[in-house]
Amino acid sequence: MKASICIAAALAAFCMPLSAATKGSDKPSYPTSGVPFTQVKVGEDSFWGRRIRQSREVTIPLAFSKCEETDRYTNFEHAAAKMAETARGDNSSNYRPTQFPFDDTDVYKTIEGASYLLQTYPDAKLQAYIDSVLDIVAAAQEPDGYLYTARTMNPSHPHDWSGKTRWAGEETGSHELYNLGHMVEGAIAHYQATGSRKFLDIAIRYADCVCREIGYGPDQKVLVPGHQIAEMALAKLYLVTGDKKYLDEAKLFLDNKGKTARRDKYDQSHLPVIEQTEAVGHAVRAGYMYSGMADVAALTGDESYIHAIDNIWDNMVGRRMYLTGGIGSTGRNEGFTEDYDLPNMNGYCETCAAIANVYTNYRLFLLHGDSKYIDVLERALYNGVISGVSLDGGAFFYPNPLESHGQHQRQPWFGCACCPSNICRFIPSVPGYAYAVRDNKLFVNLFLTGRLDTKVDGKPFAMTQTTSYPDNGDICLKIEKSSGKEMTLNIRIPGWVRNQVVPTDLYTYSDHLKPSFSVSVNGVQITLGDDSEQILENGYLPVMRKWKKGDVVEIHFDMPVRRVRAHRQVAEDRNRVAVERGPIVYCAEWIDNAANVLTAVLPENAVFETQSMDMEVEGRQYPMTAITTTATDNWSGNPSSNRPFTLKLIPYYAWAHRGSGNMQVWLNTDPQPQRRNR
Ligand code: FUB
Ligand code: ZN
């Protein structure tokens, strides 16, 4: 499908108007517009309500305290002090930055997450705290807008990765533009949530400095970000301000990849982006770049960008993505390797990379309007992303492998804290992925309890959604406000209901189940016919009518336990099967099982049962659905002595909460003794 350029309301995909700065209202936007997080309130006692509560009570306070404890704020204070000292002719100080030149971003990312929370849970104390941090940040900004503490605190002796002068080290590791990207993302969230321009103005000043200094002009430098994110952030800044120079700068960064001195697969600079066809290199850099490419594709309609990002997605989702939606097969480059190389124990699947996968797929949905992207997004969200944070919100995984012999445990923080701070900003932003609007269509993409208050076709529309998803597939939508004009609810029918594990042949269901679904309006069931696919549009069931307050839509998805096989070329998963239910990938842990889960065999005819369970973490109970079946233990190495035992499986996201031990997602199906000895 072509990306049509919609002449749409200024603040389509993510944003609310910034009237003072908006230059004209006829700028292009995404073909489909995401409903911003500001218009979705998640119910407290629900799957995502609990996650957001943990963010509020644990994750974000922890991250702010770590920023304090690990001298992240001191970096800003030293930068400000250095400028003051220099102004009075004192050059005696020798401040040293903390470990990484991107440590500033943990501050920006935590403010971003806290801002999303403020929107839902106004909190004067938190707002005042953020304000005080922003005072420290603002004081570190150089007069022309440059804000990078790793240099400003000691210009003649900056961080080792920074390069001698501004931008000199950007392509190889300074992260000056990575810092800009996270600053802009955080500032926009803060502005949207609070209406305050305090952070936004700081970010705009730095963005303007970058636009002045990096470009094609005679006094400018042409260079590209060594770690992407500025591209997608500047595209967002364009949507918020209406100032096209930010989109142009984002496109300049992408257009020049592979054309500057730097040529390396690691940061995707091996080729110009529009010639790229495979997901390569460092997975977070890649995911952020693909998101930026999708932004540019959608916002400019540039066919070469659309073609390239579609090809890369085919390769990534068709050959290089884990069942959990995780990406990155090795820690060597924290990234991609070869087609079908998806090792489980040594797989990397950095939490940030799964988040980047969500960003990419979300933007591709906004570009193409196809639910297959939300299917991938949902898979990453419920598995590879939330496995990165403990149920209580206080400990984090950096890599998220699919197999362990107990060597992996979540940690309360890391020296390189990109993953915890990304969790800070991502979890509270989830409501912003639930709905989208195009003309008089409302897309219901995610199933989560809460209230939506938005506009469809320019007219107010409100609805509540109630569900226990992903524990079951029953969802109730109740219309609370509608103009009475005809409009369509586009209800996403997830791939997992339609017998598609993923929208490629990388993973397939190996049982012969045929789950079905039903949708009724005010008690009257919609006739789906023999082939429900026929009436779906891009994976959505369109339900058009003149909605009125009190109308009720009931959705039911069968949610049987499913067996999944990987493509035969994935050597690691050969003779193995994974177990899923709805969007959730399951795993077996040592603590629930009397046999070794690394060598246990799941027979072809295993019958599964589900049961509700509460997992206790730090005295609090976390509800989830467990699965049991009968498997055999071939630990003896002799198939004739295989013993049956009750195999218990829990959601993958909940592993590693009860001590250290074996964990397995891809269970053995081969009754012969294991060739690999563990
Ligand atoms: O370079 C910034 C972040 O540090 C990357 O995104 C992570 O993979 C970690 O290397
Ligand atoms: Zn990370």
Side-chain angles (χ1 to χ4, degrees):
M1 171 189 148
K2 278 191 180 173
S4 53
I5 302 295
C6 305
I7 306 302
L11 297 153
F14 300 95
C15 317
M16 300 188 305
L18 179 60
S19 44
T22 301
K23 295 185 177 163
S25 59
D26 62 341
K27 67 184 171 54
S29 182
Y30 295 92
T32 300
S33 301
V35 173
F37 72 94
T38 47
Q39 298 174 9
V40 183
K41 186 159 165 64
V42 172
E44 288 256 356
D45 190 23
S46 64
F47 187 90
W48 288 105
R50 284 188 288 275
R51 288 277 172 177
I52 292 170
R53 183 187 65 209
Q54 296 310 110
S55 262
R56 193 169 94 238
E57 291 179 359
V58 181
T59 316
I60 287 179
L62 169 74
F64 276 134
S65 76
K66 290 289 180 188
C67 285
E68 224 163 308
E69 196 182 292
T70 60
D71 287 334
R72 259 80 169 156
Y73 299 154
T74 312
N75 284 336
F76 291 95
E77 285 164 350
H78 283 169
K82 186 68 174 185
M83 285 190 285
E85 289 159 19
T86 309
R88 54 173 195 266
D90 169 5
N91 203 19
S92 58
S93 66
N94 185 23
Y95 299 119
R96 298 305 307 141
T98 49
Q99 195 178 359
F100 295 104
F102 49 85
D103 284 345
D104 294 357
T105 63
D106 297 323
V107 176
Y108 307 146
K109 288 154 86 181
T110 310
I111 293 177
E112 179 178 342
S115 300
Y116 295 128
L117 290 178
L118 276 182
Q119 210 278 325
T120 318
Y121 304 99
D123 178 339
K125 218 169 128 196
L126 178 59
Q127 194 153 353
Y129 179 82
I130 294 174
D131 264 6
S132 68
V133 175
L134 289 175
D135 288 338
I136 298 171
V137 171
Q141 186 156 39
E142 297 193 15
D144 68 351
Y146 184 76
L147 211 177
Y148 177 72
T149 65
R151 182 184 315 283
T152 305
M153 73 171 71
N154 198 341
S156 54
H157 192 191
H159 190 283
D160 289 347
W161 302 2
S162 298
K164 284 199 167 58
T165 52
R166 279 187 192 184
W167 324 122
E170 174 53 39
E171 295 191 344
T172 50
S174 75
H175 289 73
E176 284 150 293
L177 296 172
Y178 176 80
N179 284 10
L180 168 76
H182 275 301
M183 184 192 300
V184 168
E185 294 267 333
I188 291 173
H190 182 255
Y191 167 72
Q192 288 179 294
T194 64
S196 155
R197 295 189 56 122
K198 189 167 181 174
F199 196 8
L200 188 65
D201 284 341
I202 298 171
I204 286 177
R205 278 198 293 274
Y206 189 20
D208 288 349
C209 164
V210 168
C211 291
R212 270 193 316 274
E213 299 197 6
I214 302 174
Y216 300 116
D219 299 327
Q220 293 178 300
K221 293 191 165 52
V222 177
L223 55 89
V224 297
H227 191 313
Q228 298 86 334
I229 192 178
E231 304 82 346
M232 56 193 278
L234 289 172
K236 205 186 268 190
L237 191 58
Y238 158 63
L239 286 168
V240 175
T241 62
D243 193 335
K244 187 151 175 299
K245 79 168 180 234
Y246 301 122
L247 180 64
D248 293 342
E249 189 77 0
K251 187 162 186 300
L252 178 149
F253 288 158
L254 289 164
D255 284 346
N256 285 314
K257 264 270 162 190
K259 296 182 187 163
T260 66
R262 175 81 185 171
R263 306 283 165 90
D264 200 315
K265 272 192 177 179
Y266 174 72
D267 50 30
Q268 299 77 35
S269 59
H270 58 303
L271 282 173
V273 298
I274 58 169
E275 291 171 31
Q276 297 192 24
T277 55
E278 292 181 338
V280 299
H282 182 269
V284 185
R285 284 171 164 84
Y288 290 171
M289 183 172 98
Y290 305 152
S291 302
M293 287 173 70
D295 283 334
V296 167
L299 296 171
T300 66
D302 187 320
E303 291 285 346
S304 57
Y305 269 79
I306 297 172
H307 184 68
I309 187 59
D310 287 351
N311 280 339
I312 294 170
W313 182 89
D314 284 345
N315 174 258
M316 180 169 77
V317 178
R319 293 163 184 226
R320 298 184 180 197
M321 187 179 80
Y322 283 87
L323 188 62
T324 53
I327 47 175
S329 301
T330 174
R332 283 193 297 279
N333 63 349
E334 299 191 299
F336 296 102
T337 54
E338 302 293 327
D339 285 350
Y340 302 115
D341 176 33
L342 295 163
N344 291 312
M345 180 92 71
N346 298 322
Y348 202 60
C349 298
E350 181 178 339
T351 302
C352 290
I355 291 174
N357 198 15
V358 167
Y359 293 153
T360 302
N361 278 282
Y362 182 60
R363 285 158 174 78
L364 286 169
F365 158 74
L366 297 178
L367 169 64
H368 291 307
D370 196 308
S371 74
K372 69 181 184 180
Y373 302 107
I374 304 294
D375 288 342
V376 179
L377 180 160
E378 182 182 65
R379 176 165 291 279
L381 182 61
Y382 281 101
N383 302 291
V385 171
I386 59 173
S387 62
V389 54
S390 59
L391 293 163
D392 68 351
F396 310 92
F397 268 139
Y398 195 128
N400 294 270
L402 281 74
E403 178 178 2
S404 176
H405 54 71
Q407 73 275 44
H408 305 95
Q409 284 301 307
R410 292 185 187 80
Q411 307 293 324
W413 195 249
F414 306 101
C416 171
C418 54
C419 295
S421 55
N422 242 353
I423 285 287
C424 278
R425 76 189 188 117
F426 183 77
I427 299 289
S429 79
V430 166
Y433 294 92
Y435 302 99
V437 175
R438 188 175 63 224
D439 306 324
N440 70 341
K441 297 181 176 63
L442 175 75
F443 294 80
V444 181
N445 277 332
L446 296 183
F447 304 108
L448 42 76
T449 294
R451 182 183 164 103
L452 163 75
D453 251 296
T454 189
K455 285 191 173 164
V456 180
D457 220 9
K459 300 180 193 67
F461 181 84
M463 178 177 94
T464 54
Q465 184 182 156
T466 313
T467 182
S468 297
Y469 194 93
D471 283 321
N472 68 43
D474 294 317
I475 298 128
C476 178
L477 308 177
K478 190 164 171 221
I479 311 304
E480 302 290 344
K481 198 193 289 170
S482 172
S483 67
K485 288 245 161 81
E486 205 158 74
M487 69 162 261
T488 303
L489 279 187
N490 260 352
I491 299 167
R492 175 174 151 259
I493 309 300
W496 59 261
V497 183
R498 297 161 53 214
N499 259 332
Q500 268 185 16
V501 183
V502 286
T504 63
D505 65 358
L506 185 54
Y507 304 106
T508 45
Y509 293 115
S510 64
D511 49 37
H512 299 288
L513 302 179
K514 287 200 173 74
S516 69
F517 66 93
S518 61
V519 177
S520 68
V521 179
N522 298 333
V524 179
Q525 198 138 320
I526 294 174
T527 311
L528 299 171
D530 292 341
D531 183 3
S532 54
E533 284 293 319
Q534 295 278 343
I535 58 169
L536 300 190
E537 287 175 12
N538 287 332
Y540 293 90
L541 179 73
V543 188
M544 188 173 75
R545 61 190 274 137
K546 290 178 179 165
W547 296 99
K548 57 181 188 331
K549 183 173 161 52
D551 282 345
V552 172
V553 180
E554 281 166 299
I555 304 164
H556 168 79
F557 301 133
D558 285 351
M559 205 184 260
V561 177
R562 307 295 310 263
R563 298 169 68 101
V564 176
R565 290 268 185 190
H567 191 284
R568 63 191 153 69
Q569 292 204 51
V570 183
E572 273 272 332
D573 301 340
R574 243 172 247 155
N575 298 320
R576 289 181 179 274
V577 69
V579 175
E580 292 195 349
R581 181 168 176 269
I584 304 290
V585 176
Y586 277 74
C587 70
E589 276 200 302
W590 93 104
I591 195 163
D592 299 312
N593 292 288
N596 183 353
V597 298
L598 300 186
T599 53
V601 176
L602 187 67
E604 204 51 53
N605 57 359
V607 176
F608 299 102
E609 283 178 21
T610 57
Q611 61 196 126
S612 300
M613 75 174 260
D614 281 330
M615 186 177 285
E616 187 178 318
V617 181
E618 303 283 335
R620 208 168 195 163
Q621 306 293 330
Y622 296 88
M624 61 190 69
T625 303
I627 296 173
T628 52
T629 187
T630 302
T632 58
D633 168 14
N634 77 353
W635 183 237
S636 67
N638 176 0
S640 63
S641 67
N642 282 357
R643 284 171 303 153
F645 74 100
T646 299
L647 176 73
K648 181 170 174 183
L649 301 154
I650 59 160
Y652 169 74
Y653 67 74
W655 79 285
H657 281 90
R658 297 166 295 170
S660 306
N662 292 351
M663 182 280 289
Q664 185 70 290
V665 169
W666 287 99
L667 298 157
N668 194 18
T669 53
D670 186 352
Q672 296 305 312
Q674 283 285 87
R675 277 170 295 276
R676 285 175 298 163
N677 209 0
R678 294 180 200 282

